[in-house]
Amino acid sequence: MSNIYGDWLKQQREAADLTQQQLADIAIMTRSHIAHIEAGRRVPSKEDARRLDRALNTGNVLSSFLPEEDAAVADYFEAARQLESQAVMIREFALSFVPGILQTEGYARAVLSTAFPRIGEEERDRRLVTRLERAKVLDDPVTPVVWALLDEAVLHRRIGGRRVMAEQLGHLVRLAEGGRIQVHVLPFALGTHPLLSNMLTLMWFEDQPPVAYAEGLHMGMLHDAPSVVQELQHRYDFALGNALPLKETLALLTATARGYEGHD
């Protein structure tokens, strides 16, 4: 995003003769959060922006002019997308599709082509660019830590054809073998499990409480109530305990990818 917002915040803070720590104390935030906003690495929440306005006596400027990014995502996902880019740990559960940040270009294009009602090629390409931009969180070799828990259906639901599936599963294997992600499969033989009804993303941050994002058909919900987030974390942990170990998961992914190879 443009750093005009962060630069202006810094100017107002310095004009008020406040250090980052002093502003953080007044606005009930952390110094690192202030530093990230000023550097353009984070977008404050609406509540954070309101507290900053009160702390700096800037009326409603910071809350009224929050940066807007030209991102093509569903309205209900926008808040989760912003948090995704700030997280230090992300745990994904996928029921039908490979999680967005782990999708290859071919797989993402095939997923977006199934939109209903159908969308034009230009809009599909806009959404594709946004999805691939989200995947850039993996460019950092360390942060965020990413765990992917996949229902076995994800491996066998043929999205985009055999070649696309082979490439996608191979991508997951390479990320896991390189140590960039942890991936586990919940096998069909398990039967029912606590996450069977939704896809789920759990996110942890350096300087704010964890949140959970759950999504179903044409709807999504961001949860920040501690009791709800904790329950969803427990559901994830319970399901993870029944998943295949990493070594067995990679063997299954590799074998399934090979089954797709050589066909169209």
Side-chain angles (χ1 to χ4, degrees):
M1 70 179 183
S2 168
N3 199 30
I4 294 174
Y5 187 93
D7 288 342
W8 194 83
L9 171 61
K10 182 179 181 180
Q11 291 169 12
Q12 299 308 305
R13 175 180 61 78
E14 292 177 342
D17 198 25
L18 295 173
T19 65
Q20 289 181 339
Q21 185 60 61
Q22 289 170 331
L23 176 57
D25 291 341
I26 298 170
I28 318 176
M29 298 169 65
T30 64
R31 187 208 61 77
S32 61
H33 198 178
I34 299 292
H36 284 315
I37 295 169
E38 290 187 354
R41 292 189 295 267
R42 297 219 180 157
V43 176
S45 68
K46 291 182 179 179
E47 180 56 34
D48 286 341
R50 282 193 288 267
R51 288 201 295 266
L52 288 169
D53 271 328
R54 288 196 295 269
L56 293 168
N57 294 314
T58 49
N60 63 352
V61 175
L62 289 164
S63 52
S64 296
F65 294 98
L66 282 169
E68 294 182 1
E69 298 183 69
D70 183 23
V73 296
D75 291 342
Y76 55 77
F77 181 66
E78 175 57 24
R81 184 185 69 84
Q82 291 191 17
L83 290 169
E84 181 182 73
S85 68
Q86 302 170 18
V88 296
M89 175 177 282
I90 300 173
R91 296 185 184 179
E92 298 271 16
F93 167 68
L95 184 62
S96 300
F97 300 107
V98 171
I101 60 172
L102 301 177
Q103 292 179 7
T104 63
E105 180 175 350
Y107 187 94
R109 187 182 299 277
V111 170
L112 293 169
S113 296
T114 65
F116 184 86
R118 291 186 62 83
I119 58 176
E121 184 175 343
E122 182 177 346
E123 177 60 20
R124 185 199 62 196
D125 288 346
R126 285 186 67 242
R127 296 185 187 186
L128 177 62
V129 168
T130 297
R131 185 155 302 185
L132 296 178
E133 283 292 319
R134 287 174 53 206
K136 289 184 177 179
V137 298
L138 298 176
D139 288 351
D140 186 304
V142 177
T143 305
V145 175
V146 176
W147 291 9
L149 182 58
L150 310 177
D151 191 280
E152 190 175 349
V154 174
L155 281 60
H156 301 292
R157 190 175 305 283
R158 196 179 303 172
I159 306 295
R162 290 180 177 272
R163 183 167 56 83
V164 168
M165 286 299 298
E167 180 184 48
Q168 176 63 73
L169 297 183
H171 178 60
L172 294 176
V173 170
R174 287 188 294 274
L175 287 172
E177 288 183 337
R180 186 59 188 84
I181 70 169
Q182 189 86 359
V183 60
H184 298 276
V185 168
L186 283 165
F188 284 138
L190 178 62
T192 188
H193 57 77
L195 299 176
L196 197 56
S197 58
N198 288 95
M199 64 79 67
L200 176 67
T201 302
L202 301 170
M203 292 177 276
W204 285 261
F205 307 91
E206 182 181 81
D207 48 18
Q208 53 187 305
V211 299
Y213 175 74
E215 185 172 300
L217 183 61
H218 206 61
M219 62 182 295
M221 177 68 72
L222 190 66
H223 301 280
D224 57 8
S227 60
V228 176
V229 174
Q230 186 176 60
E231 178 192 337
L232 293 172
Q233 289 174 358
H234 289 335
R235 283 175 175 259
Y236 190 99
D237 292 341
F238 186 88
L240 181 63
N242 288 298
L244 296 178
L246 177 62
K247 186 175 180 180
E248 293 179 28
T249 290
L250 293 181
L252 178 59
L253 288 169
T254 299
T256 307
R258 286 175 178 166
Y260 286 124
E261 288 173 353
H263 301 276
D264 197 359

